[in-house]
Amino acid sequence: MSHATEMRQFEARVEQFLKKSDPIVAEEPANITALPEIEIENEAIETPKPVPQDNRPVSKPNQSQAKEMADPGLVQKYHDLKRDYEDVRFDLKKADRESREQVGEIRDLRKHNTELKETLRINGGLTEKQKDTQQLEKDQLNEQLEMVEGNCTFYRQQLHKQKILIESLTLQTREANEEKADAEASARRLARQNKELNENLTECKDDLLRLQPPSQMSDSELSEQYSNLHQQISKWVDDETEDSQFLEQRFENLSASNEPPELLRKCLTMDHFRLGKKYPQSQPLILRYIIQYYLDQHVFRDDILMFGLDSQFTAFLRGTEQGMRELEPRRDAVTIRHWRSETLRSLSQMVDFKEEQRAQAISSAKFLHAALSYFLPDTETRKDGWKDLLDHIIHPAIQVSSSMRMSTATYRTTSRMAGKHADQASTMYVHELQRCLMMDVASHKIIRPDSALKVAEDGRIGEQVLVLHPALIRTQREGGGTLVLCKPTMLVKLDEPMGRRNKSIRAIQSWFGGEGGE
């Protein structure tokens, strides 16, 4: 039960009591003020007002009547009731204040409730939008799901097709492997046949190479080049040693304190120096010997495959030839010589090789000229003398050597006559006049077979001093020996001086063509 209801019940009881105890007071309670109206949740509390009975106006009793009517007990009761009424009114005001505070709180709650309802309404609107968005997303996801399901169905079909294709390919692969095995067997069979055919082809090529006419120069052309080289050496030496007195002086000045260049120390001995001092006319021959010695060591030596090739490439070609000898079928010497000839001939056409060959030729010309300069006068024209030596001696020597090496035949130069032992190398016999050219060191005359010579019992006529020009020989094939293309020229010291020849003998034309003199 609310407080207002209690107050109304209390006021009703008071009013009823007053009506029973004193009709006048009940009709007009003068000392009781009306209670104010209080709104609590739209409910009004009204103070009960005195209602006139029988529609008669309520008259105020006067003081005399009040006193007459006053009863001490009743007055005391009235005062008690008034005091209780004041207490109740105080409590009512207090309750009114609390009710007003509660009404304010209720108003705040209503306001907050209204705000919450508005917020809920707004949030409800956003939720609807979100629901629409979610529904849209859901529809999109459903579409994507349907698409994925369609793709899955498609890929299942493709997978099924791939499986069928794989099975087909597996079958084809198996068949292909069988065909491959058959093809490999056929390939091996064809490889064996190809090997046999290659062997036959190699034999045919070798036979054709053997049957081809030689593309190199003939023996006569090569011997002519070799003889021309000797003439070039003789001419160059004669031109450079016109001042014979300077040359004699240089030989006189040779001593331990004034050693000649390294090349001279290698090829000359004290016997050569004594020879030059004893026979001054032989000094130019010694220079020819020096030049020929250098050419033999650096151009015509047997282990030089071709002038200009380095040792590494030469070893490679030698190794290739050795490998050809060990091939199956075996290559004979003729086939290998043909291969070497073609290889060197092709190599000689390369620009790089030509440049390297020329560079080495220039280096050789400078080195040889520097060594010979010890015996030549020191003039301004001698500074570039190596160029004349390069053109007239080094280049012709390289040309002869290249022709020898590119030929299918085997050529070589030698200072020793064939069939002569090493311990007899310096001894000259009369029968050797048919195999070499001899020059007397004392008279510088050519010793001929018909010359007046003193011959010992064993056929000895003298001793070899110098080899001016080595012999050029060709090795015959299939053990046929050697063929002398150019005879060697030797300087010989006779045991006895030559005598005068008989006029009848002088008239005989020798194989020298009658050249020479007393």
Side-chain angles (χ1 to χ4, degrees), residues 435-475:
R435 295 185 295 171
C436 67
L437 293 178
M438 298 184 188
M439 179 184 292
D440 182 19
V441 67
S443 62
H444 276 210
K445 293 180 180 180
I446 298 298
I447 304 175
R448 304 178 184 278
D450 60 347
S451 298
L453 300 173
K454 183 177 181 180
V455 183
E457 294 181 357
D458 58 354
R460 174 189 169 94
I461 60 175
E463 184 179 9
Q464 173 186 318
V465 179
L466 285 178
V467 179
L468 299 179
H469 300 298
L472 175 63
I473 63 176
R474 175 169 62 84
T475 303

mmCIF file of all heavy atoms in Angstrom, residues 435-475:
data_model
loop_
_atom_site.group_PDB
_atom_site.id
_atom_site.type_symbol
_atom_site.label_atom_id
_atom_site.label_comp_id
_atom_site.label_asym_id
_atom_site.label_seq_id
_atom_site.Cartn_x
_atom_site.Cartn_y
_atom_site.Cartn_z
ATOM 1 N N ARG A 435 131.270 -38.592 -103.336
ATOM 2 C CA ARG A 435 130.068 -38.348 -102.530
ATOM 3 C C ARG A 435 130.024 -36.973 -101.880
ATOM 4 O O ARG A 435 129.057 -36.631 -101.206
ATOM 5 C CB ARG A 435 129.944 -39.414 -101.440
ATOM 6 C CG ARG A 435 129.725 -40.812 -101.999
ATOM 7 C CD ARG A 435 129.487 -41.817 -100.880
ATOM 8 N NE ARG A 435 130.659 -41.972 -100.037
ATOM 9 C CZ ARG A 435 130.672 -42.654 -98.893
ATOM 10 N NH1 ARG A 435 129.567 -43.244 -98.462
ATOM 11 N NH2 ARG A 435 131.791 -42.772 -98.192
ATOM 12 N N CYS A 436 131.077 -36.172 -102.041
ATOM 13 C CA CYS A 436 131.095 -34.846 -101.430
ATOM 14 C C CYS A 436 132.012 -33.925 -102.221
ATOM 15 O O CYS A 436 132.806 -34.373 -103.057
ATOM 16 C CB CYS A 436 131.538 -34.932 -99.979
ATOM 17 S SG CYS A 436 133.258 -35.428 -99.745
ATOM 18 N N LEU A 437 131.856 -32.664 -101.932
ATOM 19 C CA LEU A 437 132.739 -31.645 -102.486
ATOM 20 C C LEU A 437 133.760 -31.280 -101.423
ATOM 21 O O LEU A 437 133.402 -30.984 -100.289
ATOM 22 C CB LEU A 437 131.953 -30.404 -102.893
ATOM 23 C CG LEU A 437 130.969 -30.555 -104.067
ATOM 24 C CD1 LEU A 437 130.240 -29.245 -104.298
ATOM 25 C CD2 LEU A 437 131.698 -30.990 -105.327
ATOM 26 N N MET A 438 135.039 -31.295 -101.831
ATOM 27 C CA MET A 438 136.120 -30.976 -100.898
ATOM 28 C C MET A 438 136.857 -29.752 -101.394
ATOM 29 O O MET A 438 137.087 -29.597 -102.606
ATOM 30 C CB MET A 438 137.074 -32.156 -100.753
ATOM 31 C CG MET A 438 136.446 -33.413 -100.200
ATOM 32 S SD MET A 438 137.673 -34.730 -99.961
ATOM 33 C CE MET A 438 136.622 -36.109 -99.543
ATOM 34 N N MET A 439 137.249 -28.910 -100.448
ATOM 35 C CA MET A 439 138.023 -27.711 -100.745
ATOM 36 C C MET A 439 139.288 -27.733 -99.922
ATOM 37 O O MET A 439 139.239 -27.980 -98.715
ATOM 38 C CB MET A 439 137.210 -26.448 -100.445
ATOM 39 C CG MET A 439 137.973 -25.144 -100.722
ATOM 40 S SD MET A 439 137.025 -23.678 -100.260
ATOM 41 C CE MET A 439 135.740 -23.742 -101.473
ATOM 42 N N ASP A 440 140.412 -27.484 -100.587
ATOM 43 C CA ASP A 440 141.698 -27.480 -99.900
ATOM 44 C C ASP A 440 141.815 -26.213 -99.062
ATOM 45 O O ASP A 440 141.612 -25.104 -99.571
ATOM 46 C CB ASP A 440 142.833 -27.554 -100.923
ATOM 47 C CG ASP A 440 144.202 -27.602 -100.262
ATOM 48 O OD1 ASP A 440 144.265 -27.935 -99.046
ATOM 49 O OD2 ASP A 440 145.196 -27.290 -100.936
ATOM 50 N N VAL A 441 142.136 -26.372 -97.796
ATOM 51 C CA VAL A 441 142.211 -25.225 -96.904
ATOM 52 C C VAL A 441 143.386 -24.323 -97.245
ATOM 53 O O VAL A 441 143.348 -23.109 -96.992
ATOM 54 C CB VAL A 441 142.295 -25.698 -95.435
ATOM 55 C CG1 VAL A 441 143.611 -26.420 -95.182
ATOM 56 C CG2 VAL A 441 142.143 -24.524 -94.480
ATOM 57 N N ALA A 442 144.434 -24.870 -97.825
ATOM 58 C CA ALA A 442 145.621 -24.064 -98.126
ATOM 59 C C ALA A 442 145.457 -23.258 -99.401
ATOM 60 O O ALA A 442 145.784 -22.063 -99.455
ATOM 61 C CB ALA A 442 146.851 -24.971 -98.241
ATOM 62 N N SER A 443 144.938 -23.873 -100.440
ATOM 63 C CA SER A 443 144.838 -23.185 -101.733
ATOM 64 C C SER A 443 143.420 -22.755 -102.073
ATOM 65 O O SER A 443 143.233 -22.013 -103.046
ATOM 66 C CB SER A 443 145.353 -24.112 -102.849
ATOM 67 O OG SER A 443 144.540 -25.286 -102.906
ATOM 68 N N HIS A 444 142.411 -23.235 -101.282
ATOM 69 C CA HIS A 444 140.994 -22.944 -101.550
ATOM 70 C C HIS A 444 140.577 -23.436 -102.934
ATOM 71 O O HIS A 444 139.677 -22.875 -103.560
ATOM 72 C CB HIS A 444 140.695 -21.455 -101.415
ATOM 73 C CG HIS A 444 140.434 -21.040 -99.999
ATOM 74 N ND1 HIS A 444 139.598 -20.000 -99.681
ATOM 75 C CD2 HIS A 444 140.899 -21.510 -98.815
ATOM 76 C CE1 HIS A 444 139.567 -19.830 -98.367
ATOM 77 N NE2 HIS A 444 140.372 -20.757 -97.827
ATOM 78 N N LYS A 445 141.249 -24.509 -103.404
ATOM 79 C CA LYS A 445 140.886 -25.105 -104.680
ATOM 80 C C LYS A 445 139.971 -26.301 -104.425
ATOM 81 O O LYS A 445 140.086 -26.983 -103.408
ATOM 82 C CB LYS A 445 142.119 -25.565 -105.440
ATOM 83 C CG LYS A 445 143.017 -24.418 -105.910
ATOM 84 C CD LYS A 445 144.213 -24.963 -106.644
ATOM 85 C CE LYS A 445 145.128 -23.838 -107.122
ATOM 86 N NZ LYS A 445 146.320 -24.358 -107.853
ATOM 87 N N ILE A 446 139.073 -26.557 -105.373
ATOM 88 C CA ILE A 446 138.198 -27.703 -105.288
ATOM 89 C C ILE A 446 139.008 -28.964 -105.592
ATOM 90 O O ILE A 446 139.722 -29.034 -106.613
ATOM 91 C CB ILE A 446 137.030 -27.576 -106.260
ATOM 92 C CG1 ILE A 446 136.181 -26.341 -105.918
ATOM 93 C CG2 ILE A 446 136.149 -28.834 -106.206
ATOM 94 C CD1 ILE A 446 135.549 -26.383 -104.556
ATOM 95 N N ILE A 447 138.913 -29.937 -104.722
ATOM 96 C CA ILE A 447 139.616 -31.202 -104.911
ATOM 97 C C ILE A 447 138.728 -32.102 -105.760
ATOM 98 O O ILE A 447 137.619 -32.448 -105.363
ATOM 99 C CB ILE A 447 139.936 -31.863 -103.559
ATOM 100 C CG1 ILE A 447 140.751 -30.906 -102.675
ATOM 101 C CG2 ILE A 447 140.667 -33.182 -103.764
ATOM 102 C CD1 ILE A 447 140.999 -31.434 -101.282
ATOM 103 N N ARG A 448 139.253 -32.484 -106.945
ATOM 104 C CA ARG A 448 138.488 -33.283 -107.880
ATOM 105 C C ARG A 448 139.017 -34.724 -107.882
ATOM 106 O O ARG A 448 140.134 -34.991 -107.427
ATOM 107 C CB ARG A 448 138.577 -32.686 -109.273
ATOM 108 C CG ARG A 448 138.131 -31.225 -109.331
ATOM 109 C CD ARG A 448 138.280 -30.658 -110.719
ATOM 110 N NE ARG A 448 137.943 -29.239 -110.743
ATOM 111 C CZ ARG A 448 136.723 -28.747 -110.820
ATOM 112 N NH1 ARG A 448 135.705 -29.577 -110.888
ATOM 113 N NH2 ARG A 448 136.508 -27.445 -110.833
ATOM 114 N N PRO A 449 138.213 -35.611 -108.418
ATOM 115 C CA PRO A 449 138.706 -36.991 -108.486
ATOM 116 C C PRO A 449 139.970 -37.161 -109.321
ATOM 117 O O PRO A 449 140.763 -38.078 -109.093
ATOM 118 C CB PRO A 449 137.528 -37.743 -109.118
ATOM 119 C CG PRO A 449 136.325 -36.929 -108.778
ATOM 120 C CD PRO A 449 136.798 -35.509 -108.802
ATOM 121 N N ASP A 450 140.152 -36.252 -110.285
ATOM 122 C CA ASP A 450 141.348 -36.358 -111.131
ATOM 123 C C ASP A 450 142.496 -35.477 -110.657
ATOM 124 O O ASP A 450 143.485 -35.294 -111.373
ATOM 125 C CB ASP A 450 140.993 -36.013 -112.576
ATOM 126 C CG ASP A 450 140.441 -34.603 -112.697
ATOM 127 O OD1 ASP A 450 140.099 -33.997 -111.645
ATOM 128 O OD2 ASP A 450 140.319 -34.090 -113.819
ATOM 129 N N SER A 451 142.324 -34.854 -109.447
ATOM 130 C CA SER A 451 143.398 -34.004 -108.925
ATOM 131 C C SER A 451 144.596 -34.863 -108.538
ATOM 132 O O SER A 451 144.459 -36.037 -108.162
ATOM 133 C CB SER A 451 142.905 -33.210 -107.720
ATOM 134 O OG SER A 451 141.848 -32.341 -108.079
ATOM 135 N N ALA A 452 145.791 -34.228 -108.643
ATOM 136 C CA ALA A 452 147.031 -34.924 -108.292
ATOM 137 C C ALA A 452 147.157 -34.954 -106.780
ATOM 138 O O ALA A 452 147.524 -33.960 -106.142
ATOM 139 C CB ALA A 452 148.224 -34.218 -108.931
ATOM 140 N N LEU A 453 146.799 -36.075 -106.204
ATOM 141 C CA LEU A 453 146.791 -36.206 -104.746
ATOM 142 C C LEU A 453 147.721 -37.329 -104.330
ATOM 143 O O LEU A 453 147.910 -38.311 -105.062
ATOM 144 C CB LEU A 453 145.366 -36.506 -104.241
ATOM 145 C CG LEU A 453 144.276 -35.471 -104.557
ATOM 146 C CD1 LEU A 453 142.928 -36.012 -104.130
ATOM 147 C CD2 LEU A 453 144.589 -34.157 -103.871
ATOM 148 N N LYS A 454 148.267 -37.170 -103.159
ATOM 149 C CA LYS A 454 149.059 -38.246 -102.571
ATOM 150 C C LYS A 454 148.125 -39.047 -101.676
ATOM 151 O O LYS A 454 147.605 -38.549 -100.694
ATOM 152 C CB LYS A 454 150.213 -37.665 -101.783
ATOM 153 C CG LYS A 454 151.114 -38.753 -101.218
ATOM 154 C CD LYS A 454 152.301 -38.141 -100.490
ATOM 155 C CE LYS A 454 153.207 -39.235 -99.937
ATOM 156 N NZ LYS A 454 154.385 -38.689 -99.210
ATOM 157 N N VAL A 455 147.965 -40.301 -102.043
ATOM 158 C CA VAL A 455 147.004 -41.152 -101.352
ATOM 159 C C VAL A 455 147.746 -42.199 -100.541
ATOM 160 O O VAL A 455 148.675 -42.853 -101.063
ATOM 161 C CB VAL A 455 146.055 -41.834 -102.362
ATOM 162 C CG1 VAL A 455 145.008 -42.673 -101.625
ATOM 163 C CG2 VAL A 455 145.381 -40.787 -103.244
ATOM 164 N N ALA A 456 147.332 -42.327 -99.294
ATOM 165 C CA ALA A 456 147.962 -43.336 -98.438
ATOM 166 C C ALA A 456 147.457 -44.720 -98.812
ATOM 167 O O ALA A 456 146.555 -44.891 -99.653
ATOM 168 C CB ALA A 456 147.643 -43.031 -96.979
ATOM 169 N N GLU A 457 148.034 -45.733 -98.188
ATOM 170 C CA GLU A 457 147.660 -47.110 -98.521
ATOM 171 C C GLU A 457 146.186 -47.398 -98.212
ATOM 172 O O GLU A 457 145.534 -48.159 -98.929
ATOM 173 C CB GLU A 457 148.540 -48.085 -97.742
ATOM 174 C CG GLU A 457 150.005 -48.037 -98.151
ATOM 175 C CD GLU A 457 150.844 -49.032 -97.379
ATOM 176 O OE1 GLU A 457 150.242 -49.714 -96.490
ATOM 177 O OE2 GLU A 457 152.046 -49.124 -97.622
ATOM 178 N N ASP A 458 145.673 -46.793 -97.137
ATOM 179 C CA ASP A 458 144.259 -47.017 -96.798
ATOM 180 C C ASP A 458 143.323 -46.072 -97.530
ATOM 181 O O ASP A 458 142.121 -46.062 -97.284
ATOM 182 C CB ASP A 458 144.050 -46.879 -95.294
ATOM 183 C CG ASP A 458 144.480 -45.506 -94.780
ATOM 184 O OD1 ASP A 458 145.044 -44.708 -95.564
ATOM 185 O OD2 ASP A 458 144.213 -45.207 -93.573
ATOM 186 N N GLY A 459 143.868 -45.220 -98.419
ATOM 187 C CA GLY A 459 143.061 -44.288 -99.191
ATOM 188 C C GLY A 459 142.903 -42.918 -98.550
ATOM 189 O O GLY A 459 142.201 -42.062 -99.084
ATOM 190 N N ARG A 460 143.579 -42.702 -97.438
ATOM 191 C CA ARG A 460 143.487 -41.404 -96.756
ATOM 192 C C ARG A 460 144.198 -40.346 -97.581
ATOM 193 O O ARG A 460 145.289 -40.549 -98.102
ATOM 194 C CB ARG A 460 144.103 -41.507 -95.373
ATOM 195 C CG ARG A 460 144.196 -40.157 -94.630
ATOM 196 C CD ARG A 460 145.010 -40.298 -93.360
ATOM 197 N NE ARG A 460 145.307 -38.994 -92.794
ATOM 198 C CZ ARG A 460 144.592 -38.380 -91.852
ATOM 199 N NH1 ARG A 460 143.540 -38.980 -91.341
ATOM 200 N NH2 ARG A 460 144.950 -37.182 -91.395
ATOM 201 N N ILE A 461 143.513 -39.153 -97.634
ATOM 202 C CA ILE A 461 144.116 -38.024 -98.339
ATOM 203 C C ILE A 461 144.269 -36.808 -97.438
ATOM 204 O O ILE A 461 145.001 -35.870 -97.777
ATOM 205 C CB ILE A 461 143.299 -37.643 -99.579
ATOM 206 C CG1 ILE A 461 141.882 -37.243 -99.175
ATOM 207 C CG2 ILE A 461 143.289 -38.794 -100.599
ATOM 208 C CD1 ILE A 461 141.038 -36.739 -100.336
ATOM 209 N N GLY A 462 143.549 -36.781 -96.337
ATOM 210 C CA GLY A 462 143.663 -35.623 -95.459
ATOM 211 C C GLY A 462 142.664 -35.703 -94.303
ATOM 212 O O GLY A 462 142.133 -36.761 -93.965
ATOM 213 N N GLU A 463 142.437 -34.517 -93.750
ATOM 214 C CA GLU A 463 141.566 -34.431 -92.561
ATOM 215 C C GLU A 463 140.530 -33.332 -92.755
ATOM 216 O O GLU A 463 140.839 -32.247 -93.266
ATOM 217 C CB GLU A 463 142.413 -34.150 -91.315
ATOM 218 C CG GLU A 463 141.623 -34.141 -90.027
ATOM 219 C CD GLU A 463 142.514 -33.876 -88.820
ATOM 220 O OE1 GLU A 463 143.694 -33.545 -89.049
ATOM 221 O OE2 GLU A 463 142.045 -33.994 -87.690
ATOM 222 N N GLN A 464 139.312 -33.619 -92.322
ATOM 223 C CA GLN A 464 138.226 -32.632 -92.422
ATOM 224 C C GLN A 464 138.425 -31.531 -91.387
ATOM 225 O O GLN A 464 138.699 -31.788 -90.216
ATOM 226 C CB GLN A 464 136.883 -33.333 -92.214
ATOM 227 C CG GLN A 464 135.700 -32.382 -92.128
ATOM 228 C CD GLN A 464 134.408 -33.095 -91.785
ATOM 229 O OE1 GLN A 464 134.132 -34.168 -92.309
ATOM 230 N NE2 GLN A 464 133.628 -32.498 -90.894
ATOM 231 N N VAL A 465 138.259 -30.284 -91.829
ATOM 232 C CA VAL A 465 138.409 -29.129 -90.932
ATOM 233 C C VAL A 465 137.044 -28.502 -90.623
ATOM 234 O O VAL A 465 136.719 -28.229 -89.473
ATOM 235 C CB VAL A 465 139.353 -28.084 -91.558
ATOM 236 C CG1 VAL A 465 139.484 -26.869 -90.641
ATOM 237 C CG2 VAL A 465 140.707 -28.694 -91.835
ATOM 238 N N LEU A 466 136.254 -28.234 -91.643
ATOM 239 C CA LEU A 466 134.927 -27.610 -91.483
ATOM 240 C C LEU A 466 133.941 -28.250 -92.452
ATOM 241 O O LEU A 466 134.329 -28.702 -93.542
ATOM 242 C CB LEU A 466 134.973 -26.099 -91.777
ATOM 243 C CG LEU A 466 135.595 -25.164 -90.737
ATOM 244 C CD1 LEU A 466 135.564 -23.738 -91.271
ATOM 245 C CD2 LEU A 466 134.860 -25.253 -89.417
ATOM 246 N N VAL A 467 132.671 -28.267 -92.050
ATOM 247 C CA VAL A 467 131.582 -28.618 -92.955
ATOM 248 C C VAL A 467 130.911 -27.303 -93.347
ATOM 249 O O VAL A 467 130.168 -26.704 -92.568
ATOM 250 C CB VAL A 467 130.569 -29.578 -92.297
ATOM 251 C CG1 VAL A 467 129.444 -29.881 -93.271
ATOM 252 C CG2 VAL A 467 131.253 -30.853 -91.871
ATOM 253 N N LEU A 468 131.184 -26.862 -94.549
ATOM 254 C CA LEU A 468 130.655 -25.575 -94.984
ATOM 255 C C LEU A 468 129.159 -25.665 -95.270
ATOM 256 O O LEU A 468 128.397 -24.770 -94.901
ATOM 257 C CB LEU A 468 131.417 -25.108 -96.234
ATOM 258 C CG LEU A 468 132.928 -24.903 -96.034
ATOM 259 C CD1 LEU A 468 133.573 -24.459 -97.341
ATOM 260 C CD2 LEU A 468 133.195 -23.886 -94.938
ATOM 261 N N HIS A 469 128.753 -26.753 -95.941
ATOM 262 C CA HIS A 469 127.341 -26.923 -96.257
ATOM 263 C C HIS A 469 126.981 -28.382 -96.054
ATOM 264 O O HIS A 469 127.561 -29.255 -96.728
ATOM 265 C CB HIS A 469 127.044 -26.503 -97.709
ATOM 266 C CG HIS A 469 127.384 -25.084 -97.999
ATOM 267 N ND1 HIS A 469 126.783 -24.031 -97.370
ATOM 268 C CD2 HIS A 469 128.291 -24.553 -98.859
ATOM 269 C CE1 HIS A 469 127.284 -22.892 -97.818
ATOM 270 N NE2 HIS A 469 128.212 -23.191 -98.737
ATOM 271 N N PRO A 470 126.055 -28.702 -95.159
ATOM 272 C CA PRO A 470 125.654 -30.100 -94.953
ATOM 273 C C PRO A 470 124.970 -30.661 -96.200
ATOM 274 O O PRO A 470 124.523 -29.927 -97.087
ATOM 275 C CB PRO A 470 124.694 -30.028 -93.766
ATOM 276 C CG PRO A 470 124.955 -28.713 -93.122
ATOM 277 C CD PRO A 470 125.389 -27.792 -94.213
ATOM 278 N N ALA A 471 124.866 -31.964 -96.217
ATOM 279 C CA ALA A 471 124.211 -32.633 -97.335
ATOM 280 C C ALA A 471 122.702 -32.635 -97.138
ATOM 281 O O ALA A 471 122.198 -32.623 -96.015
ATOM 282 C CB ALA A 471 124.727 -34.058 -97.457
ATOM 283 N N LEU A 472 121.968 -32.679 -98.252
ATOM 284 C CA LEU A 472 120.519 -32.823 -98.247
ATOM 285 C C LEU A 472 120.210 -34.214 -98.791
ATOM 286 O O LEU A 472 120.550 -34.531 -99.941
ATOM 287 C CB LEU A 472 119.854 -31.758 -99.111
ATOM 288 C CG LEU A 472 118.335 -31.882 -99.280
ATOM 289 C CD1 LEU A 472 117.627 -31.730 -97.940
ATOM 290 C CD2 LEU A 472 117.813 -30.842 -100.274
ATOM 291 N N ILE A 473 119.555 -35.054 -97.992
ATOM 292 C CA ILE A 473 119.284 -36.423 -98.398
ATOM 293 C C ILE A 473 117.813 -36.730 -98.207
ATOM 294 O O ILE A 473 117.108 -36.059 -97.441
ATOM 295 C CB ILE A 473 120.144 -37.427 -97.601
ATOM 296 C CG1 ILE A 473 119.791 -37.367 -96.106
ATOM 297 C CG2 ILE A 473 121.626 -37.179 -97.821
ATOM 298 C CD1 ILE A 473 120.520 -38.395 -95.272
ATOM 299 N N ARG A 474 117.346 -37.727 -98.920
ATOM 300 C CA ARG A 474 115.978 -38.210 -98.791
ATOM 301 C C ARG A 474 116.015 -39.684 -98.465
ATOM 302 O O ARG A 474 116.717 -40.457 -99.124
ATOM 303 C CB ARG A 474 115.184 -37.971 -100.074
ATOM 304 C CG ARG A 474 113.773 -38.557 -100.035
ATOM 305 C CD ARG A 474 112.939 -38.086 -101.204
ATOM 306 N NE ARG A 474 113.478 -38.493 -102.480
ATOM 307 C CZ ARG A 474 113.270 -39.685 -103.058
ATOM 308 N NH1 ARG A 474 112.553 -40.612 -102.432
ATOM 309 N NH2 ARG A 474 113.791 -39.964 -104.241
ATOM 310 N N THR A 475 115.210 -40.066 -97.457
ATOM 311 C CA THR A 475 115.155 -41.466 -97.054
ATOM 312 C C THR A 475 114.234 -42.221 -98.002
ATOM 313 O O THR A 475 113.088 -41.812 -98.242
ATOM 314 C CB THR A 475 114.637 -41.584 -95.606
ATOM 315 O OG1 THR A 475 115.483 -40.825 -94.735
ATOM 316 C CG2 THR A 475 114.617 -43.033 -95.165
#
